[in-house]
Amino acid sequence: MDITYFYGPPDDCIVREEVIRAIAEAGFTLIPLEAANPEVNKAALRLCGRYGLKALVRDGRIERFLRRPEERPEAAVAAMVADYAAFDNVQGWYITDEPHTGDFPRLAEIASAFRRAAPGREVYINLFPDYADPGMLRAVDYASYLRLFVETVRPEILSYDYYPFLGRDRSLSADKLFLVETERERGIRQAAARMEDRTEFFRNLGAIREAGLEAGIPTMLILQLTEHGYYRNPTKEELLWQVTHALAYGVSRISYFTYWLPDSDDGFWLWDNAMVERDGSPNPHYHQVREINRRLRSLGKALEGRTSEAVFHADPAEPYGLPLRPHGALRSLSGGAAVVGFFDDGSFLVTNKDFRAPAVLELEITGEPAYWDEKEEDWRPCREGAPLAGRDGTYRLRLEPGDGLLIRAR
């Protein structure tokens, strides 16, 4: 279970040991390094090695590969890989963010060159969410976009970002909405210009899950953390809700947007409330994420090597998820809206679908159930006072807003 972020410290900060230490202490395992100067990335890699951190590397040469489609990338890629040969904590190469289908052939060419030069290392590309319009995707629909990406680029991991929480109480000037240089940025702003939360969160999770299972590759979600544009500042419960439901859908890597507070602003995005301020001081989200990541790493141990088998919703109002039916050891669930994600070892993650209020759920389970104790990192039997308590096949489960519990029965 790798845990990472999108948008980190600037070049002059990423080479400071106290900055790298704070990243590690927050529970991250993998970080993006994006300095144009390779020497900055190398200095950061040396520090990362002291704290057990891996990295996805992107320096200025990758941008040149993208901008020169007429050139074969093999020699330049081989030279770049050789430049980082001394670092065994390079997990792979970060190529680009949110490409459209017209970019895929060139990305496939670059990815192939990296795989030949550095076999066994990852080529990372992040995709659009499904609320990007067909013009941004350059595909007739999102399923076609995903399918063409997988078939053309053959990625090691299927990654996307999705930000569901809107309604930020701040006046954003209309003239800042569309007066930008690129069509891509105009589309991103237009997609963000709404006041109601997105209700299609599970639709996109389902599409990514299906595409990942079909291709036999893991999946990754970049979730919403930093307040910007019309996106509000998520509560701790809303952060946990995104993580918990991603896990229920079989996501095996979590990323937070953003770690460091971006310093570019033209009056539209109005960045605020990242994990860390521009001077490196922690915000409340830093401490919230550190606690969530501790739990996430524990759950990652329980789910390591597991494959998502099925996902159901105990919520008649859910338009995109399959209604709950008996599966595995779980015969029924009642008492509140929930999502249940089943895995191929017989375990299942039960979530509270409400990020505002606790839920008390009644479960019918066959066999002898146990729950994953995140602190002890072991399976514990059901007993009085435990999160899952009961007997004779009927059990009571109390979940805080957005929370979940991993269960198995034998």
Side-chain angles (χ1 to χ4, degrees):
M1 175 65 67
D2 274 325
I3 309 171
T4 185
Y5 58 75
F6 193 97
Y7 196 88
D11 293 4
D12 60 334
C13 295
I14 197 64
V15 294
R16 289 161 40 191
E17 184 163 5
E18 65 270 23
V19 171
I20 297 295
R21 183 190 307 117
I23 292 170
E25 289 176 349
F28 292 100
T29 64
L30 175 69
I31 70 171
L33 292 177
E34 302 179 65
N37 183 349
E39 299 309 312
V40 173
N41 287 333
K42 292 177 190 177
L45 281 165
R46 283 188 283 272
L47 288 173
C48 286
R50 297 179 191 174
Y51 293 92
L53 292 170
K54 301 168 291 183
L56 295 172
V57 174
R58 186 181 198 274
D59 69 29
R61 286 170 285 192
I62 290 180
E63 189 62 33
R64 289 196 290 274
F65 303 156
L66 296 173
R67 290 181 177 178
R68 298 175 181 175
E70 72 283 354
E71 294 183 5
R72 297 284 294 173
E74 279 79 6
V77 166
M80 178 179 167
V81 168
D83 203 14
Y84 289 95
F87 299 96
D88 59 6
N89 58 337
V90 174
Q91 179 160 307
W93 317 99
Y94 169 32
I95 307 302
T96 194
D97 181 45
E98 297 182 331
H100 56 67
T101 59
D103 299 321
F104 292 173
R106 179 59 173 174
L107 293 177
E109 188 179 16
I110 293 170
S112 295
F114 271 108
R115 290 177 189 126
R116 286 191 291 271
R121 289 185 172 176
E122 176 183 325
V123 177
Y124 174 71
I125 298 164
N126 181 58
L127 299 180
F128 278 115
D130 69 359
Y131 51 82
D133 65 42
M136 296 171 70
L137 303 176
R138 299 196 188 176
V140 295
D141 56 31
Y142 194 66
S144 300
Y145 174 72
L146 293 180
R147 184 169 55 253
L148 187 59
F149 178 73
V150 170
E151 291 174 352
T152 306
V153 182
R154 301 191 180 281
E156 286 83 7
I157 190 165
L158 198 57
S159 170
Y160 78 112
D161 50 77
Y162 195 101
Y163 310 145
F165 302 120
L166 291 119
R168 186 186 191 188
D169 185 15
R170 182 170 292 187
S171 175
L172 297 170
S173 175
D175 67 335
K176 302 295 185 183
L177 185 55
F178 302 118
L179 296 182
V180 291
E181 294 181 358
T182 67
E183 180 181 352
R184 178 179 180 276
E185 178 65 14
R186 283 194 296 274
I188 291 172
R189 292 189 180 197
Q190 187 172 13
R194 52 184 286 174
M195 297 302 290
E196 305 83 17
D197 284 356
R198 291 193 167 93
T199 59
E200 303 87 1
F201 179 78
F202 295 106
R203 180 182 70 184
N204 207 152
L205 264 178
I208 291 290
R209 174 182 175 274
E210 290 177 11
L213 288 174
E214 184 177 347
I217 56 177
T219 57
M220 167 178 164
L221 170 65
I222 303 176
L223 60 84
Q224 177 185 343
L225 181 142
T226 299
E227 184 179 11
H228 64 294
Y230 289 89
Y231 296 109
R232 71 175 183 265
N233 184 29
T235 64
K236 176 185 176 182
E237 291 76 18
E238 288 168 339
L239 295 175
L240 180 61
W241 183 91
Q242 294 176 85
V243 169
T244 302
H245 288 97
L247 293 181
Y249 271 74
V251 168
S252 58
R253 185 184 298 175
I254 295 292
S255 177
Y256 298 85
F257 181 82
T258 63
Y259 179 77
W260 203 267
L261 186 64
D263 59 3
S264 59
D265 215 330
D266 65 355
F268 178 77
W269 291 119
L270 301 174
W271 304 94
D272 205 358
N273 291 304
M275 286 182 63
V276 171
E277 286 285 350
R278 296 182 183 114
D279 64 0
S281 58
N283 278 323
H285 281 325
Y286 177 89
H287 305 288
Q288 294 166 357
V289 168
R290 181 172 60 183
E291 180 182 339
I292 291 171
N293 284 350
R294 177 189 58 78
R295 300 182 58 195
L296 182 55
R297 292 179 74 166
S298 175
L299 278 169
K301 291 182 179 180
L303 293 172
E304 184 177 5
R306 304 279 72 83
T307 299
S308 176
E309 187 175 80
V311 183
F312 299 110
H313 289 247
D315 179 6
E318 172 57 49
Y320 302 111
L322 293 174
L324 182 66
R325 60 175 181 263
H327 188 92
L330 182 63
R331 311 319 298 161
S332 70
L333 182 152
S334 60
V339 175
V340 188
F342 293 88
F343 300 90
D344 61 356
D345 66 340
S347 64
F348 53 97
L349 180 62
V350 180
T351 76
N352 178 2
K353 204 174 175 182
D354 192 335
F355 49 74
R356 294 187 178 93
V360 178
L361 306 174
E362 297 291 334
L363 287 69
E364 291 186 16
I365 303 173
T366 60
E368 297 181 3
Y371 70 94
W372 180 255
D373 187 321
E374 295 169 2
K375 291 183 179 179
E376 298 297 327
E377 296 188 346
D378 200 2
W379 294 99
R380 298 296 184 191
C382 300
R383 61 185 185 277
E384 194 64 32
L388 183 69
R391 62 180 182 177
D392 300 329
T394 302
Y395 300 87
R396 180 179 177 273
L397 171 61
R398 176 185 168 86
L399 293 174
E400 295 304 314
D403 207 350
L405 188 73
L406 185 64
I407 302 167
R408 73 178 184 187
R410 293 182 176 176

